[in-house]
Amino acid sequence: MLRAIQYSSANKLLQLATTSCARNASSSPQCEPSKPNIRTAVPGPKTLQLSAELNQLQQAGSVQLIGDYERCVGNYFVDVDGNEFLDAFTQISSIPVGYNHPHLLTAFEDQKNIKALVNRPALGVFPDKEWPQKLRDILLPVAPSGLTNISTMMCGSCSNENAYKAVFIWYRNKERGTVEFSEEEMQSCMKNAAPGSPNLSILSFVDAFHGRTFGSLSTTRSKAIHKIDVPAFDWPVAPFPKYRYPLDQFERENQEEDARCLEQVQARINEYKSRCPVAGVVVEPIQSEGGDNEASPQFFRNLQKLCKENGIALIIDEVQTGCGPTGKMWAYEHFELPSPPDLLTFSKKMLTGGFYFKPEFKPPQAYRVFNTWMGDPSKLILLERVLQVIKRENLLDRVQKTGAVLKGGLHELEKEFPQLIHSVRGRGTFLSFTAKDSAVRDQINNGLKKNGVLGGGCGEASIRLRPSLVFEPKHAHIYLDVLRKTLKEL
Amino acid sequence: MLRAIQYSSANKLLQLATTSCARNASSSPQCEPSKPNIRTAVPGPKTLQLSAELNQLQQAGSVQLIGDYERCVGNYFVDVDGNEFLDAFTQISSIPVGYNHPHLLTAFEDQKNIKALVNRPALGVFPDKEWPQKLRDILLPVAPSGLTNISTMMCGSCSNENAYKAVFIWYRNKERGTVEFSEEEMQSCMKNAAPGSPNLSILSFVDAFHGRTFGSLSTTRSKAIHKIDVPAFDWPVAPFPKYRYPLDQFERENQEEDARCLEQVQARINEYKSRCPVAGVVVEPIQSEGGDNEASPQFFRNLQKLCKENGIALIIDEVQTGCGPTGKMWAYEHFELPSPPDLLTFSKKMLTGGFYFKPEFKPPQAYRVFNTWMGDPSKLILLERVLQVIKRENLLDRVQKTGAVLKGGLHELEKEFPQLIHSVRGRGTFLSFTAKDSAVRDQINNGLKKNGVLGGGCGEASIRLRPSLVFEPKHAHIYLDVLRKTLKEL
């Protein structure tokens, strides 16, 4: 009888929790499962069925799981087979504050916001009366210090492409010393020929990932499958530092590696000067898709110095690192650059694409960095809520705290399983480690999934952690426990 | 007394209409103004103020008016100064069924749809359980006949870029005769060099517009300001027919023009065979941005034949012509091609970007036509409603009816003002006319705006009409009256 009463009370509490859950302002929903819960084989029968259906319509070989987004909550991804996964991948790092966050779910209760969603304007021609204010109130307060201009875009690729365009326009304006075009430029560009379509390049790094459209793909150097069969510009590529770990044991070697890479950057700039001069350098603060390769603050400071000396723009690509996962709003803030980068691009967790830039990168004429939509106001409505949650709940602090737990645990595991994993690295919860080889990496990733944790691969043999910003130390412990179990099972 | 009662009754009726308006399922909202209403100078003081504010943050020289989207309704755009314009431009042709359509405003009352908006998935990896069904139920029923595959994207530029990628992948698979890559291909592509990054091209036409990212911009040939200072691929360009009007008086000349252009297409294909072979041809059914240039059904049938003979893919770019404005769902349906095009791209009125394609253009491997988001499910929720409205209200019929009124009226005006405008052309309500020169075109467009009508310029000296699909004959008459008034004032 007592048990029955206790059970009934617990049930009522659960109901209360579930009811309050939908409206609860906390980022750590009380209705999250307490741990992963795997009910079927992974992938389950319904995922397999629906993936096959999707594959009738398009190439669906990349599908891992079919989601049930109505049931996802906080840090837990629920698939169509009812399996509940702790999500340390979060839609390729693009869910900022967890699934179905209550503060986001209520964003469209205001009819004004529904109207913004339904009447999508051509922002470059007929923006809404609140648009300048929204850019000032939502995007400028989190702008990289010194970057006072902003263009919104649709995704990471087009953010980079348009940043490159802004760089080429700036570079040619410097070269011609006037904002007037010559007749020869105007006519030759219509034939895709110089001088109107100039032989200019963007330098990128080995293992970089900057997107998949033709311009951004010409700077992507991650994997052959991303690039093969697609025409690309003859643009230069320089090595990105490959460090030896643990960092404190290989300081000298890693400094030499920095110097070697920077020398190669200068060599490429010199080499391309007569062929296809470098107008800009694009770099990720931590190379993500290409293997979670980090470089030292000193490397970035020297890279910036080198760009300035050569009259070249520095573009920081924060599509994956931006919006908090390293414990700062922008990862490049860790580098303490003496002056801001020239342009900084974003997307993913920011929900809208776009880029910040110095005023000198504003094209002198209209219709040059332009397209029909120029972004999407409905994404800013959500981003505003995301930034409120980040601030209100001190999520950057939480990322640092959770990251410390996670990284500490990963260091223990690399000691416990030295034959399987090594090179634990990263900042905040933007962490990764490398497996013995790519086969072991795939085994670990599949094992994690079968044990209820989602993670992503990157590079040759690495696993990246990309939880959302509401990942707490308790989630870190679950992740670590599941990883230990998985490594033991290998 | 009687007048007071009548007034009071009318007022009550108006109130009723206004109340029902918000929930009225009709596409021609009763709460639309009965005619344009201009209260201030155009642009008004608030538009000027807010444009200046926006220009502090980005290049805002392209801004025409600042909108008040809460007050826009049906075919009427309301600006921040309270001016009510009859909108025959509709956000660069991207508002399908008018502003604040009640059937769209209610689309997110279902919490499930709010969750789809808040939890944006990586569609290529973790699509929602309803996604395959949504593609089948929403996008396939309006697919071009014979195109059974579909990829969703974010905008027109990236839809074209990804269609081009699918074409290059298809072309190289044909060339190599296997889906296996050679080691040389895999290594060379990482350096942006052949054979991995092949010297292949997409042929486009003079005055074409296909987007502004580096790949799509390499096929855009509209205006120097769109292209200058941006590196471009050395891809071929062929002339697009320039017809003499009225068409029935210049049949022979226009047929010769078709033949001349097709000869040039073949000549470019031959010329580029050794240098950078043509893998695909991209063409708009009616060139829009480049001047609303149309070509005959015979031209398109022969172009398709030529592509087939040369083993080249034909991509129809329906970003602006798609979703009904020519009186058919897809403009190419007017051409009665003996077989479907290989790929068809869309965006704008479709609200989501994307492209339809034949199964042979599905890449044999995953992660090749891929990106983080691969579209946006929230746009499909709105598109579903748009397509329901189009069907329920027979909007394609209405477009034809309204288009006939509009075109008839424009023909009368070109007879009435032969010294000012000529070459009335187009299909459905996708119409245009050419002014004497670009200065007169700008005068007409500004005059229309001051008199309460929004239209767009295109090409050297043309004005394009791009009303939404709910434009009725009564709106056509207002447009024509205002245009006549404007022409008289010149």
Side-chain angles (χ1 to χ4, degrees):
Chain A
M1 178 68 181
L2 187 61
R3 288 186 75 126
I5 287 169
Q6 279 176 333
Y7 178 80
S8 159
S9 297
N11 224 16
K12 270 184 193 153
L13 275 172
L14 186 66
Q15 277 177 355
L16 272 171
T18 311
T19 311
S20 72
C21 175
R23 293 283 150 178
N24 192 305
S26 163
S27 294
S28 174
Q30 296 164 24
C31 38
E32 261 191 0
S34 57
K35 59 177 180 52
N37 192 349
I38 301 302
R39 296 177 161 88
T40 72
V42 177
K46 289 181 186 166
T47 276
L48 290 174
Q49 166 65 26
L50 288 164
S51 297
E53 287 181 27
L54 190 59
N55 204 49
Q56 294 294 313
L57 304 172
Q58 58 186 226
Q59 171 52 263
S62 52
V63 170
Q64 291 187 23
L65 294 168
I66 304 283
D68 185 346
Y69 288 94
E70 287 180 77
R71 296 179 58 200
C72 294
V73 55
N75 294 285
Y76 282 82
F77 172 86
V78 184
D79 78 1
V80 67
D81 290 287
N83 300 304
E84 297 165 332
F85 300 87
L86 179 66
D87 195 349
F89 194 36
T90 57
Q91 312 297 321
I92 321 181
S93 200
S94 67
I95 301 286
V97 292
Y99 295 103
N100 283 313
H101 194 290
H103 195 51
L104 271 62
L105 287 176
T106 55
F108 289 91
E109 288 183 354
D110 186 341
Q111 268 293 306
K112 191 170 76 174
N113 290 345
I114 290 289
K115 289 188 174 183
L117 186 62
V118 164
N119 304 297
R120 185 175 185 184
L123 285 169
V125 193
F126 306 101
D128 181 63
K129 63 185 193 295
E130 293 186 0
W131 188 240
Q133 189 68 36
K134 277 186 184 260
L135 294 179
R136 280 197 303 264
D137 288 354
I138 302 169
L139 283 169
L140 281 198
V142 294
S145 169
L147 301 194
T148 55
N149 277 227
I150 173 81
S151 276
T152 53
M153 288 287 153
M154 259 80 78
C155 68
S157 284
C158 76
S159 300
N160 281 331
E161 295 247 339
N162 280 284
Y164 299 175
K165 285 175 71 170
V167 163
F168 288 126
I169 290 168
W170 162 83
Y171 192 89
R172 286 290 296 139
N173 279 337
K174 279 201 308 175
E175 280 193 324
R176 67 165 72 85
T178 162
V179 298
E180 300 293 322
F181 311 124
S182 72
E183 195 55 37
E184 191 193 1
E185 285 176 309
M186 299 224 281
Q187 291 192 0
S188 57
C189 78
M190 300 309 289
K191 295 174 184 165
N192 293 7
S197 304
N199 284 316
L200 290 175
S201 62
I202 302 288
L203 180 145
S204 62
F205 290 92
V206 172
D207 287 332
F209 185 91
H210 301 292
R212 296 167 176 273
T213 45
F214 286 74
S216 60
L217 189 64
S218 289
T219 56
T220 285
R221 313 280 182 165
S222 42
K223 295 199 185 86
I225 195 70
H226 301 155
K227 291 176 70 72
I228 206 157
D229 292 349
V230 184
F233 291 107
D234 172 22
W235 289 355
V237 59
F240 193 77
K242 290 271 178 202
Y243 291 154
R244 296 183 65 181
Y245 289 85
L247 292 175
D248 54 6
Q249 287 176 31
F250 295 97
E251 267 186 45
R252 191 179 50 80
E253 288 86 344
N254 292 340
Q255 279 174 16
E256 285 170 7
E257 174 68 355
D258 280 358
R260 181 186 74 89
C261 292
L262 288 165
E263 271 166 32
Q264 286 296 309
V265 172
Q266 186 62 59
R268 289 292 85 67
I269 291 170
N270 299 343
E271 181 192 343
Y272 273 71
K273 194 155 273 173
S274 57
R275 177 169 155 197
C276 188
V278 177
V281 167
V282 63
V283 66
E284 298 154 275
I286 299 175
Q287 288 188 331
S288 307
E289 182 70 29
D292 268 39
N293 309 308
E294 43 183 10
S296 68
Q298 194 62 35
F299 172 82
F300 284 97
R301 290 197 291 266
N302 285 330
L303 179 65
Q304 184 181 46
K305 190 157 163 274
L306 187 154
C307 286
K308 282 182 193 291
E309 286 165 2
N310 287 275
I312 289 170
L314 177 63
I315 309 162
I316 304 261
D317 176 345
E318 296 244 21
V319 169
Q320 190 150 163
T321 49
C323 201
T326 69
K328 293 187 185 281
M329 183 68 195
W330 306 107
Y332 91 92
E333 295 172 52
H334 292 284
F335 307 149
E336 298 185 351
L337 300 181
S339 64
D342 296 303
L343 307 96
L344 182 144
T345 63
F346 58 81
S347 186
K348 288 191 184 269
K349 282 191 176 63
M350 291 290 282
L351 306 184
T352 174
F355 60 104
Y356 294 102
F357 54 103
K358 291 182 180 166
E360 55 262 44
F361 290 86
K362 181 166 111 174
Q365 299 90 355
Y367 294 107
R368 302 186 73 185
V369 171
F370 183 88
N371 56 56
T372 297
W373 284 321
M374 301 276 291
D376 185 342
S378 72
K379 303 303 179 195
L380 243 69
I381 289 168
L382 288 170
L383 175 62
E384 181 174 31
R385 298 263 170 150
V386 165
L387 295 173
Q388 285 166 351
V389 172
I390 291 175
K391 194 171 176 181
R392 194 171 65 195
E393 308 197 18
N394 289 315
L395 291 186
L396 299 187
D397 287 346
R398 186 187 298 179
V399 163
Q400 288 171 13
K401 202 154 84 182
T402 306
V405 174
L406 260 180
K407 199 173 188 180
L410 290 172
H411 277 309
E412 283 174 26
L413 287 170
E414 71 178 342
K415 278 179 204 139
E416 201 174 327
F417 302 93
Q419 75 288 16
L420 290 176
I421 63 168
H422 60 87
S423 300
V424 168
R425 60 198 181 274
R427 296 176 184 275
T429 57
F430 198 99
L431 300 171
S432 58
F433 54 92
T434 302
K436 192 184 143 205
D437 55 36
S438 68
V440 170
R441 188 267 309 272
D442 293 346
Q443 283 172 18
I444 297 174
N445 224 356
N446 286 331
L448 282 172
K449 210 187 289 176
K450 287 185 202 320
N451 289 324
V453 164
L454 298 184
C458 64
E460 269 300 296
S462 293
I463 287 182
R464 53 180 157 171
L465 283 72
R466 294 292 181 275
S468 74
L469 308 177
V470 298
F471 213 68
E472 295 182 36
K474 72 174 180 191
H475 302 109
H477 289 300
I478 296 172
Y479 180 92
L480 293 165
D481 288 348
V482 172
L483 179 56
R484 175 174 283 110
K485 175 169 185 268
T486 302
L487 291 170
K488 274 186 184 162
E489 286 169 359
L490 282 191
Chain B
M1 179 69 181
L2 186 62
R3 288 186 76 123
I5 288 169
Q6 280 175 335
Y7 179 79
S8 159
S9 298
N11 222 19
K12 269 182 195 157
L13 276 173
L14 185 67
Q15 276 177 358
L16 273 171
T18 312
T19 312
S20 71
C21 176
R23 291 284 151 178
N24 192 306
S26 162
S27 295
S28 173
Q30 296 163 25
C31 38
E32 261 191 359
S34 58
K35 59 179 181 50
N37 192 350
I38 301 304
R39 295 177 163 87
T40 71
V42 177
K46 289 181 184 165
T47 276
L48 290 174
Q49 167 65 26
L50 288 164
S51 297
E53 288 181 25
L54 190 59
N55 202 51
Q56 294 294 311
L57 303 171
Q58 57 187 225
Q59 172 52 263
S62 52
V63 170
Q64 290 187 23
L65 294 169
I66 303 285
D68 185 346
Y69 288 94
E70 288 181 78
R71 296 179 58 201
C72 294
V73 54
N75 294 284
Y76 283 83
F77 172 86
V78 183
D79 78 2
V80 67
D81 290 287
N83 300 304
E84 298 165 333
F85 299 87
L86 179 67
D87 196 350
F89 195 36
T90 57
Q91 311 299 320
I92 323 182
S93 201
S94 67
I95 300 287
V97 292
Y99 295 103
N100 283 312
H101 194 289
H103 195 51
L104 270 64
L105 288 175
T106 56
F108 289 91
E109 288 183 353
D110 185 342
Q111 268 294 304
K112 191 170 77 175
N113 291 344
I114 291 289
K115 289 188 173 183
L117 186 62
V118 164
N119 304 296
R120 187 176 182 181
L123 285 169
V125 193
F126 305 102
D128 180 64
K129 63 184 193 297
E130 295 187 358
W131 188 241
Q133 189 68 36
K134 276 184 185 265
L135 293 179
R136 281 198 302 264
D137 288 355
I138 302 169
L139 283 168
L140 281 197
V142 295
S145 169
L147 302 194
T148 54
N149 278 230
I150 173 82
S151 275
T152 53
M153 288 287 153
M154 260 80 78
C155 67
S157 284
C158 76
S159 301
N160 281 330
E161 295 246 339
N162 281 284
Y164 299 173
K165 284 175 71 169
V167 163
F168 289 125
I169 290 167
W170 161 84
Y171 191 90
R172 286 290 296 140
N173 280 338
K174 278 201 308 172
E175 280 193 323
R176 69 166 71 86
T178 162
V179 298
E180 300 292 321
F181 311 124
S182 72
E183 195 55 37
E184 191 193 2
E185 286 177 309
M186 299 223 282
Q187 292 192 1
S188 57
C189 78
M190 300 309 287
K191 295 173 182 165
N192 293 7
S197 303
N199 284 317
L200 290 176
S201 62
I202 302 288
L203 181 146
S204 61
F205 290 92
V206 172
D207 288 331
F209 185 91
H210 300 293
R212 294 167 177 273
T213 46
F214 286 75
S216 61
L217 190 64
S218 291
T219 56
T220 285
R221 313 279 181 164
S222 42
K223 295 199 185 86
I225 195 69
H226 301 154
K227 291 177 69 72
I228 206 157
D229 292 349
V230 184
F233 291 107
D234 174 20
W235 288 355
V237 58
F240 193 77
K242 290 272 180 201
Y243 290 153
R244 296 182 66 183
Y245 289 85
L247 293 175
D248 54 8
Q249 287 176 33
F250 295 97
E251 266 187 46
R252 190 177 52 78
E253 290 85 345
N254 292 339
Q255 279 175 16
E256 284 170 8
E257 174 68 355
D258 280 359
R260 181 185 75 90
C261 292
L262 289 165
E263 271 167 33
Q264 286 295 308
V265 172
Q266 185 61 60
R268 290 292 85 69
I269 292 170
N270 298 344
E271 180 192 342
Y272 272 72
K273 195 155 272 171
S274 57
R275 177 169 157 197
C276 187
V278 176
V281 167
V282 63
V283 66
E284 297 154 275
I286 299 175
Q287 289 189 332
S288 306
E289 182 68 29
D292 267 41
N293 309 308
E294 42 182 12
S296 68
Q298 193 61 36
F299 172 82
F300 284 97
R301 290 197 291 267
N302 285 330
L303 178 65
Q304 184 181 48
K305 189 157 163 272
L306 186 155
C307 286
K308 282 183 194 289
E309 285 165 2
N310 287 275
I312 289 170
L314 177 63
I315 310 162
I316 304 260
D317 175 345
E318 296 243 20
V319 169
Q320 189 150 165
T321 49
C323 200
T326 69
K328 293 186 185 283
M329 183 67 194
W330 306 108
Y332 92 92
E333 295 172 51
H334 292 284
F335 307 150
E336 297 184 352
L337 300 181
S339 64
D342 296 302
L343 309 96
L344 182 144
T345 63
F346 57 82
S347 186
K348 290 192 182 262
K349 282 191 176 62
M350 291 290 282
L351 306 184
T352 174
F355 60 103
Y356 294 101
F357 54 103
K358 290 182 181 166
E360 56 262 44
F361 290 86
K362 182 166 112 174
Q365 299 90 355
Y367 294 108
R368 302 186 72 186
V369 170
F370 183 88
N371 55 57
T372 298
W373 284 321
M374 301 276 291
D376 185 341
S378 72
K379 303 303 178 196
L380 243 67
I381 290 168
L382 287 172
L383 176 62
E384 180 173 31
R385 297 262 170 152
V386 165
L387 295 173
Q388 285 167 350
V389 172
I390 290 175
K391 194 172 177 182
R392 193 171 68 195
E393 309 199 17
N394 290 315
L395 291 186
L396 299 188
D397 287 346
R398 186 188 297 180
V399 164
Q400 288 171 14
K401 201 154 82 180
T402 307
V405 174
L406 260 181
K407 199 173 188 181
L410 290 172
H411 277 309
E412 281 173 29
L413 287 171
E414 71 178 342
K415 277 180 205 141
E416 202 175 325
F417 301 93
Q419 74 288 15
L420 291 176
I421 63 167
H422 61 87
S423 299
V424 168
R425 58 197 183 277
R427 295 175 185 277
T429 56
F430 199 99
L431 300 171
S432 58
F433 55 92
T434 302
K436 192 184 142 206
D437 55 36
S438 68
V440 169
R441 187 268 308 274
D442 294 348
Q443 283 172 17
I444 296 173
N445 225 354
N446 286 331
L448 281 173
K449 209 187 288 174
K450 287 185 201 318
N451 289 324
V453 164
L454 298 184
C458 65
E460 271 298 298
S462 293
I463 287 181
R464 53 180 158 172
L465 283 72
R466 294 294 182 273
S468 75
L469 308 178
V470 297
F471 213 68
E472 294 182 36
K474 72 175 179 188
H475 302 108
H477 288 300
I478 295 171
Y479 181 92
L480 293 165
D481 289 347
V482 172
L483 179 55
R484 174 174 284 111
K485 177 169 183 268
T486 303
L487 292 170
K488 275 188 184 163
E489 286 168 358
L490 283 190

